[in-house]
């Protein structure tokens, strides 16, 4: 039994939405959407989010809140015999590795944010944004320090605990994130020529949709909701018994969709208005966006708040990734939280160093043809996350007591038994099957 809890249901929802809304949502999703059929991809993504994604999110919530335990003990409590707690351990390993390179990008964002105060990011001395990005990311000292700074910010919040740390930070950062997006979206949509970007982002392009699109959309749906790592199990274990789980899940999903949508509408119109092309990978936010802001009145200021927004989005996801590792160590021993958080955070930083150097000193070091950064990303995103998602859905569907599941799902909510049965079919059949399809086809590729 854990002592600490979220102070309010809103705090829980914002923290969970903060975990969901991260680099995957505000940066990768709009880009992939543009490439994979625009509005149609978005439609498929939202449909999957509302069905398969929400079902699995509810499964994690049901497991977390009914057991009130984190990544390892939640599984042990439901199935004391057997090795089921390995699902939690896999999740902790996945979170550890994910944060190790996620924090590298967090470091880049930190550097760009700090540098934007000097005014030389949107207008680099020789006018070449790509060269600036390369020179920054290949400089081990600058990005190393920024990487460390990002991890320390994460640690400083998480060591304060669930209510005083993560919840409080989310209560400030998430509304700020929303307001900044709103400002940027309005600015972007009111530029001359913005419409072309809206079209790129949202016009359904049937020719770009293939079976691959569904795979992308499903993988993205899970990643966007932080599923498969027991993050949502952990967060919901700190939730009181009154809150409605379906209601909370809808709020988290709707906030994620809304922000993803706003991200697309803030980024693409501005890019097209200035005759630039959306580009793949990190270059979109670090090379193309600075070039966009360069041409805007008060561009440096807009860029600064854009980076602040990215920083908030990345930090709130980082909190959840470190918390799932911290929770099992500090359950019932909250006094250890500070020490454990620092130890885990610094280890993650150390693990991230080779990923960081992948853009400089270690650029030529390859594992299966991938740089260290890409290899860790591949292992986490394409193997550990889908595997975790599959195991969690099977575990909840077949190992938990139906009476407990039903009680937990419906308590405090407006839904009746029909909803429970639909959800049951989803997590027993539809969710595992769709993950298996995605998994197998990714491995074949
Ligand atoms: N949901 C986060 C994003 O979109 C990533 C994440 C995945 C965070 C899994 C926690 C757990 O960036």
């Amino acid at each position: 039994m854990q002592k600490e809890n979220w102070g309010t249901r809103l705090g829980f929802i914002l923290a969970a939405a903060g975990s969901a809304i991260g680099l995957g949502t505000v940066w990768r999703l709009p880009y992939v959407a543009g490439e994979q059929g625009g509005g149609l991809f978005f439609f498929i993504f939202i449909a999957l989010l509302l069905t398969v994604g929400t079902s699995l999110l509810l499964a994690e919530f049901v497991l977390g809140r009914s057991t009130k335990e984190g990544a390892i003990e939640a599984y042990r409590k439901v199935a004391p015999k057997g090795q089921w707690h390995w699902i939690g351990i896999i999740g902790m390993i996945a979170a550890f590795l994910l944060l190790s390179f996620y924090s590298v990008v967090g470091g880049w964002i930190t550097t760009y944010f700090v540098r934007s105060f000097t005014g030389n990011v949107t207008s680099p001395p020789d006018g070449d944004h790509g060269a600036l990005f390369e020179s920054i990311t290949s400089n081990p000292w600058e990005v190393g320090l920024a990487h460390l700074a990002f991890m320390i910010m994460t640690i400083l919040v998480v060591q304060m605990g669930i209510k005083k740390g993560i919840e409080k930070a989310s209560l400030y950062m998430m509304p700020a994130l929303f307001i900044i997006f709103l400002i940027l979206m309005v600015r972007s949509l009111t530029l001359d020529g913005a419409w072309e970007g809206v079209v790129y982002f949202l016009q359904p392009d049937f020719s770009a949709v293939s079976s691959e699109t569904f795979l992308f959309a499903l993988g993205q749906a899970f990643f966007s909701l932080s599923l498969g790592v027991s993050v949502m199990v952990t967060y919901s274990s700190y939730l009181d018994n009154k809150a409605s789980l379906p209601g909370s899940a809808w709020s988290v999903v709707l906030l994620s969709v809304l922000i993803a949508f706003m991200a697309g509408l803030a980024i693409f119109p501005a890019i097209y208005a200035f005759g630039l092309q959306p580009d793949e990978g990190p270059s979109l936010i670090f090379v193309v966006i600075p070039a966009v802001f360069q041409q805007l009145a008060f561009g440096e200021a807009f860029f600064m708040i854009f980076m602040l927004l990215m920083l908030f989005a990345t930090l709130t996801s980082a909190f959840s990734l470190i918390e799932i590792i911290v929770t099992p160590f500090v359950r019932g021993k909250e006094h250890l939280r500070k020490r454990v958080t620092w130890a885990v955070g610094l280890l993650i930083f150390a693990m991230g160093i080779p990923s960081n150097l992948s853009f400089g000193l270690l650029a030529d070091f390859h594992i299966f043809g991938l740089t260290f950064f890409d290899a860790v990303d591949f292992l986490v995103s394409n193997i550990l996350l889908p595997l975790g998602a599959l195991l969690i859905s099977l575990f909840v569907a077949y190992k938990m007591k139906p009476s407990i599941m039903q009680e937990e799902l419906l308590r405090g909510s407006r839904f009746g038994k029909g909803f429970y049965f639909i959800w049951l079919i989803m997590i027993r059949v539809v969710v595992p099957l769709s993950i298996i399809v995605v998994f197998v086809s990714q491995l074949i590729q």
Side-chain angles (χ1 to χ4, degrees), residues 390-404:
L390 176 65
L391 292 175
I392 292 175
S393 72
L394 292 175
F395 181 82
V396 173
Y398 295 103
K399 278 282 162 188
M400 281 191 78
K401 262 214 197 81
S403 57
I404 298 185

Side-chain angles (χ1 to χ4, degrees), residues 170-182 308-309 312:
S170 307
L171 281 171
Y172 286 108
M173 287 183 185
M174 296 310 287
L177 183 118
F178 187 80
I179 293 168
I180 297 176
F181 253 135
L182 213 57
L308 187 65
L309 176 164
F312 286 171

Side-chain angles (χ1 to χ4, degrees), residues 19-20 22-25 98 102 223-224 226 229 231 317 320-321:
S19 167
L23 291 172
T25 317
L98 177 54
Y102 207 80
F223 191 83
S224 282
S226 308
V229 220
V231 156
S317 299
S320 70
L321 286 165

Side-chain angles (χ1 to χ4, degrees), residues 82-105:
Q83 298 295 320
W84 294 99
H85 62 282
W86 276 93
I87 303 178
I89 298 178
I90 293 175
M92 288 164 74
I93 296 173
F96 185 87
L97 294 174
L98 177 54
L99 188 53
S100 79
F101 67 89
Y102 207 80
S103 57
V104 169
V105 183

